[in-house]
C-alpha cells in the first residue's frame, strides 16, 4: 500500500483499508434515518465475492434499512455504495433484491409467472417484446425454487412460503452477481426454508454473492460463512468463526439476550 | 336513428366515451395504489383554478381555463404531499383536507367575483353540459365525410380526443415500469425505475385527464370514471392486462348507456324531461360496480395469507 493510500485510510476509515477489487459489495460511510432518529449510522462494509453473508442484529437495529439505503430505495444521508467494483447506478444489472414479502399487496392482479417476468425488466426494457424464451426462463427459475406447477396461479392464493419462493424466482430471473435478501426465512415453512437455502448455496457455488438480513441466530453458523453484526452502528463483520463470539453478540444485543443464550449460540455443545 | 342522432347525440356520446376512457386508464393504477381519491381531489381543485384564471385574464377562453386548472392541480398535488410529510398522516387524509379546502375556496371566489356575465358557475363545473355539445352543422351520417361539416364539430371533441390518445400512449409506453412499481415499489427502485417521478407522472396524467374531462363534461364524470370502471374491472379478472380492457369496456358502456338513459329513460318512465347525462353516466358506472361486486368472478379478497399468519413488516 502506498503512502497516499495510507493517508486516505487515516482519513476515511476501515472500508478503504483493503483492496476492493475482490468485493461484491462495498459500502462506505452510509447513514440513513427515519425522521430525526438515525437508523443506520456511518456504516462501512465490504463483502468479498463468492461469500454468503448474514446481516444480524436486534429488532430496530437498521438491518433492512441498511439494504434499502444501500440500494437507493430510501434516501441516504451520506455514504457511497459500489457493486462488483462499479458505482451502484452502473451496476443495476448485477444486483437482485428480494424485499420482505409483507412489503407488497398480494391481492395485486397478477399470476405467479407475471411476477417472475418482472425480473426481466432490465433485459426487456420499456417496449421490448416478450418472447417464448423469456417465459421459458421464468418457468425454469420457478422450477429451481420448486414452484413450476404454480406458474399460472393467482399470487393471492399462495401461502407465505410460496410467496417467498416466487420472490426468490424473480431474483433468479435477474441473473445477478449479487443477491440481497431481506429476511427470506421469516414466517416460512420448514420445506421452504430448506428449498431457499439450497438455492442460495447453489448461487454461492456458482460464484455469486449472497447477503441476507437474518433473524435466527441458531442457524447463522449453518447457513452462512460471513456475518455482519450491527445495531445502528456496525459492531463487527468477517468470517463467522471469528465474528460470531459472545463478546460481539453481547455488544450487538446488549441486555436483549441472556448471557447463557449467547454462550450457547457461539459455542454450540458438541 | 338518422340525421337527428348525428346532430344531437353523436358528439356528446363520443365526448363522454373519450372522457370516460381517459380517466379510467390512469384510474386502474390509482385504485391499485390506494390513491383513487386523487382523482376526486384534482376534479375539485379545478374549480378555484378556473376561477382564478378568469379573474386574472378576464376571459373564459379554453386556454386560460385549462392552464388555470392545470396550475391548480399541480399546486394541489404539491400541497397534498406537503401536508402528508409535515403532518405525518396518510395520503387519503391529506387529500381530503386539501381538496375540500381548495374547493371551498373556489366556491367563495366564484361568489365574490363578478362572473354573472359569463357562463361560469358551480353547477356547470360539476355536471358539465354534455347535452349542449351538439354538432350544429351535421345533416346526417354523410356529414362525417364532409369537411365543411366536420369543421363545425365542437372543439371539446378534439381536445378530449387528443388527451385520450395521449393517456393511451403513455399507458402503453410506461406499462411495464408502472406495473412493477405499483406492485413492488422497492423492487422497482432497485431496477433503476425512477419510482418517485413515475408516481408523479401518473398523478399529473390523471390531472390532465381530469381537467380535459372537466372542460368537456364536468367533474362528476371524472370522479366516477377514475374509480368505478377500474374497481369493477378488478373484480372481473386476476390479471392487470385484462383488468385494463375490462375497465375500458365498462367506461364505454357507462358513457353510452348513461347518455341514452338520461335522454330517453324519463320518457320511457312516462316523465317529461331528460335528466343530466353526466349524472346518469356516473350512476350507471356505479351500478356496474355494484353488479361486479355482487356477481364478479373474483370479488372475494384473497387476503388469506395475511389473516393466517400476520407478519408485521420490520424495517
Amino acid at each position: 500500500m502506498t503512502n497516499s493510500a495510507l493517508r486516505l485510510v487515516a482519513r476515511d476509515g476501515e472500508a478503504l483499508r483493503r483492496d476492493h477489487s475482490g468485493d461484491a459489495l462495498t459500502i462506505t460511510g452510509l447513514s440513513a434515518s427515519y425522521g430525526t432518529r438515525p437508523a443506520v449510522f456511518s456504516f462501512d462494509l465490504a463483502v468479498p465475492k463468492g461469500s454468503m453473508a448474514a446481516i444480524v442484529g436486534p429488532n430496530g437495529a437498521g438491518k433492512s434499512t441498511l439494504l434499502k439505503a444501500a440500494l437507493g430505495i430510501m434516501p441516504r444521508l451520506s455514504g457511497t455504495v459500489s457493486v462488483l467494483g462499479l458505482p451502484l447506478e452502473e451496476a443495476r444489472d448485477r444486483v437482485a433484491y428480494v424485499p420482505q414479502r409483507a412489503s407488497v399487496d398480494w391481492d395485486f392482479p397478477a399470476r405467479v409467472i407475471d411476477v417472475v417476468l418482472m425480473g426481466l425488466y432490465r433485459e426487456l426494457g420499456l417496449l421490448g417484446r416478450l418472447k417464448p424464451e423469456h417465459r421459458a426462463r421464468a418457468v425454469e427459475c420457478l422450477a429451481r425454487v420448486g414452484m413450476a406447477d404454480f406458474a399460472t396461479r393467482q399470487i393471492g392464493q399462495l401461502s407465505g412460503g410460496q410467496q417467498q419462493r416466487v420472490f426468490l424466482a424473480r431474483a433468479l430471473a435477474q441473473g445477478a452477481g449479487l443477491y440481497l435478501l431481506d429476511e427470506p426465512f421469516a414466517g416460512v415453512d420448514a420445506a421452504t426454508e430448506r428449498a431457499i437455502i439450497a438455492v442460495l448455496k447453489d448461487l454461492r457455488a456458482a460464484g455469486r454473492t449472497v447477503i441476507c438480513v437474518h433473524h435466527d441466530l441458531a442457524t447463522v453458523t449453518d447457513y452462512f460463512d460471513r456475518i455482519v453484526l450491527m445495531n445502528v452502528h456496525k459492531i463487527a463483520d468477517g468470517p463467522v468463526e471469528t465474528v460470531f463470539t459472545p463478546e460481539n453478540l453481547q455488544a450487538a444485543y446488549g441486555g436483549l439476550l441472556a448471557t447463557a443464550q449467547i454462550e450457547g449460540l457461539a459455542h454450540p455443545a458438541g | 336513428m338518422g340525421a337527428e342522432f348525428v346532430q344531437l347525440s353523436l358528439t356528446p356520446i363520443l365526448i363522454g366515451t373519450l372522457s370516460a376512457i381517459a380517466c379510467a386508464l390512469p384510474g386502474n393504477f390509482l385504485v391499485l395504489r390506494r390513491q383513487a381519491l386523487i382523482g376526486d381531489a384534482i376534479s375539485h381543485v379545478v374549480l378555484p383554478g378556473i376561477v382564478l384564471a378568469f379573474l386574472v385574464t378576464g376571459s373564459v377562453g379554453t386556454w386560460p381555463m385549462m392552464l388555470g386548472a392545470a396550475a391548480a392541480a399541480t399546486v394541489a398535488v404539491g400541497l397534498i404531499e406537503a401536508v402528508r410529510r409535515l403532518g405525518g398522516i396518510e395520503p387519503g387524509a391529506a387529500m381530503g383536507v386539501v381538496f375540500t379546502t381548495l374547493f371551498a375556496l373556489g366556491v367563495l371566489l366564484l361568489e365574490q367575483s363578478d362572473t354573472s356575465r359569463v357562463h361560469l358557475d358551480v353547477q356547470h363545473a360539476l355536471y358539465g353540459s354534455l347535452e349542449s355539445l351538439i354538432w350544429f352543422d351535421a345533416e346526417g351520417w354523410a356529414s362525417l365525410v364532409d369537411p365543411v361539416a366536420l369543421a363545425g364539430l365542437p372543439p371539446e371533441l378534439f381536445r378530449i380526443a387528443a388527451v385520450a390518445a395521449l393517456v393511451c400512449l403513455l399507458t402503453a409506453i410506461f406499462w411495464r415500469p408502472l406495473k412493477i412499481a405499483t406492485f413492488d415499489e422497492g423492487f422497482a427502485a432497485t431496477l433503476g425505475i425512477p419510482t418517485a417521478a413515475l408516481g408523479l407522472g401518473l398523478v399529473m396524467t390523471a390531472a390532465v385527464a381530469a381537467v380535459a374531462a372537466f372542460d368537456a363534461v364536468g367533474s362528476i364524470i371524472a370522479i366516477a370514471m377514475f374509480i368505478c370502471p377500474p374497481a369493477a374491472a378488478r373484480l372481473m379478472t386476476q390479471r392487470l392486462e385484462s383488468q385494463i380492457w375490462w375497465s375500458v369496456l365498462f367506461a364505454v358502456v357507462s358513457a353510452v348507456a348513461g347518455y341514452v338513459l338520461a335522454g330517453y329513460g324519463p320518457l320511457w318512465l312516462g316523465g317529461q324531461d331528460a335528466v343530466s347525462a353526466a349524472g346518469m353516466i356516473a350512476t350507471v358506472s356505479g351500478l356496474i360496480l355494484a353488479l361486479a361486486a355482487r356477481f364478479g368472478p373474483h370479488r372475494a379478497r384473497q387476503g388469506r395469507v395475511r389473516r393466517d399468519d400476520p407478519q408485521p413488516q420490520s424495517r
Side-chain angles (χ1 to χ4, degrees):
Chain A
M1 201 182 266
T2 66
N3 276 349
S4 57
L6 279 171
R7 275 199 298 278
L8 268 176
V9 170
R11 226 178 304 139
D12 287 337
E14 183 221 24
L16 283 174
R17 207 171 296 149
R18 301 181 26 228
D19 167 24
H20 288 298
S21 55
D23 285 338
L25 175 68
T26 317
I27 295 174
T28 313
L30 187 147
S31 299
S33 73
Y34 290 103
T36 53
R37 187 179 67 90
V40 174
F41 189 75
S42 193
F43 211 95
D44 296 328
L45 180 65
V47 179
K49 275 181 204 166
S51 52
M52 197 155 145
I55 300 176
V56 174
N59 286 331
K63 304 182 292 291
S64 300
T65 307
L66 176 65
L67 286 194
K68 287 180 189 163
L71 287 167
I73 297 170
M74 65 174 282
R76 294 192 280 272
L77 297 175
S78 66
T80 56
V81 177
S82 62
V83 171
L84 297 157
L86 295 168
L88 176 66
E89 286 310 320
E90 293 167 31
R92 289 284 183 203
D93 294 330
R94 316 291 307 277
V95 202
Y97 168 65
V98 178
Q100 291 180 21
R101 63 184 171 82
S103 68
V104 306
D105 179 3
W106 290 91
D107 278 325
F108 189 85
R111 301 167 310 173
V112 165
I113 193 161
D114 298 324
V115 173
V116 179
L117 286 169
M118 290 179 187
L120 296 176
Y121 173 71
R122 300 274 320 175
E123 197 175 318
L124 287 167
L126 278 184
L127 300 170
R129 213 162 68 80
L130 192 65
K131 297 185 185 126
E133 71 198 48
H134 293 121
R135 289 179 193 283
R137 247 164 64 207
V139 172
E140 186 197 322
C141 293
L142 279 169
R144 284 166 73 183
V145 297
M147 292 282 291
D149 295 341
F150 291 78
T152 55
R153 189 75 68 89
Q154 157 66 18
I155 56 172
Q157 298 170 344
L158 303 177
S159 73
Q162 291 166 337
Q163 291 172 351
Q164 192 66 60
R165 292 189 205 199
V166 171
F167 263 7
L168 181 57
R170 180 177 68 176
L172 292 175
Q174 290 179 266
L178 171 63
Y179 291 78
L180 299 169
L181 298 87
D182 198 346
E183 304 210 9
F185 306 112
V188 304
D189 53 286
T192 296
E193 181 153 345
R194 280 194 301 275
I196 292 176
I197 200 68
V199 170
L200 296 182
K201 286 186 170 172
D202 284 350
L203 285 171
R204 177 178 55 182
R208 316 295 171 89
T209 310
V210 177
I211 303 175
C212 295
V213 170
H214 191 59
H215 236 84
D216 184 4
L217 290 175
T219 53
V220 167
T221 49
D222 287 344
Y223 290 174
F224 299 97
D225 51 36
R226 289 183 74 88
I227 177 168
V228 181
L229 266 172
M230 71 177 291
N231 192 349
V232 183
H233 302 262
K234 189 172 77 181
I235 309 289
D237 84 304
V240 170
E241 313 85 66
T242 56
V243 171
F244 204 58
T245 64
E247 296 74 34
N248 283 339
L249 285 173
Q250 188 66 47
Y253 283 82
L256 296 168
L257 287 179
T259 310
Q261 237 177 325
I262 289 175
E263 291 286 342
L265 285 166
H267 303 294
Chain B
M1 290 233 246
E4 195 187 324
F5 172 81
V6 175
Q7 192 175 41
L8 297 180
S9 299
L10 182 64
T11 45
I13 287 180
L14 274 178
I15 289 171
T17 304
L18 290 168
S19 305
I21 293 174
C23 293
L25 279 179
N28 280 290
F29 293 100
L30 294 175
V31 166
L32 288 171
R33 287 168 174 241
R34 313 265 187 272
Q35 280 185 324
L37 260 183
I38 199 97
D40 208 344
I42 293 166
S43 313
H44 278 84
V45 301
V46 157
L47 183 67
I50 59 169
V51 178
L52 275 178
F54 169 73
L55 291 179
V56 171
T57 65
S59 104
V60 283
T62 303
W63 286 111
M65 296 294 103
M66 293 283 262
L67 285 178
T74 313
V75 167
V77 169
L79 269 179
I80 289 167
E81 198 58 18
V83 170
R84 190 175 72 78
R85 297 225 170 145
L86 297 177
I89 55 176
E90 57 156 322
M95 288 176 207
V97 169
V98 169
F99 84 71
T100 45
T101 310
L102 287 182
F103 184 69
L105 181 71
V107 173
L108 280 182
L109 278 173
L110 197 53
E111 282 201 345
Q112 291 305 309
S113 58
D114 178 25
T115 54
S116 49
R117 64 203 166 76
V118 295
H119 186 49
L120 194 62
D121 55 61
V122 178
Q123 195 183 345
H124 177 69
L126 285 179
Y127 312 145
S129 52
L130 194 51
E131 296 88 342
S132 71
L133 299 172
I134 52 181
W135 189 9
F136 287 115
D137 303 336
E139 283 156 5
W141 290 102
S143 301
L144 282 175
V145 288
D146 175 4
V148 181
L150 285 175
L153 279 168
E156 284 87 351
L157 179 62
F158 296 108
R159 283 199 291 271
I160 192 65
V163 168
L166 177 74
V167 170
C168 290
L169 190 68
L170 288 173
T171 309
I173 292 176
F174 294 104
W175 172 256
R176 276 191 193 134
L178 267 173
K179 179 166 90 164
I180 298 175
T182 300
F183 173 59
D184 190 344
E185 190 164 18
F187 176 75
T190 68
L191 295 176
I193 294 172
T195 51
L198 194 66
L200 189 65
L202 175 64
V203 170
M204 292 312 293
T205 305
V208 169
V211 170
F214 169 87
D215 169 51
V217 295
S219 51
I220 284 187
I221 287 191
I223 295 169
M225 289 304 140
F226 275 124
I227 299 179
C228 291
R234 176 64 191 89
L235 301 168
M236 301 303 294
T237 170
Q238 296 285 29
R239 292 198 71 204
L240 189 55
E241 285 76 5
S242 8
Q243 179 184 323
I244 296 287
W245 292 113
W246 276 107
S247 74
V248 170
L249 176 71
F250 286 152
V252 172
V253 169
S254 303
V256 175
Y259 186 84
V260 172
L261 280 178
Y264 300 102
L267 296 177
W268 294 337
L269 293 175
Q272 290 296 310
D273 303 316
V275 296
S276 154
M280 186 55 87
I281 290 173
T283 306
V284 170
S285 76
L287 278 175
I288 291 176
L289 176 55
L291 287 173
R294 179 65 190 82
F295 300 109
H298 298 287
R299 63 191 191 281
R301 275 182 71 88
Q302 309 268 4
R304 176 168 62 93
V305 170
R306 249 163 304 142
R307 277 201 303 276
D308 281 359
D309 54 351
Q311 183 87 62
Q313 193 200 347
S314 75
R315 57 190 192 186

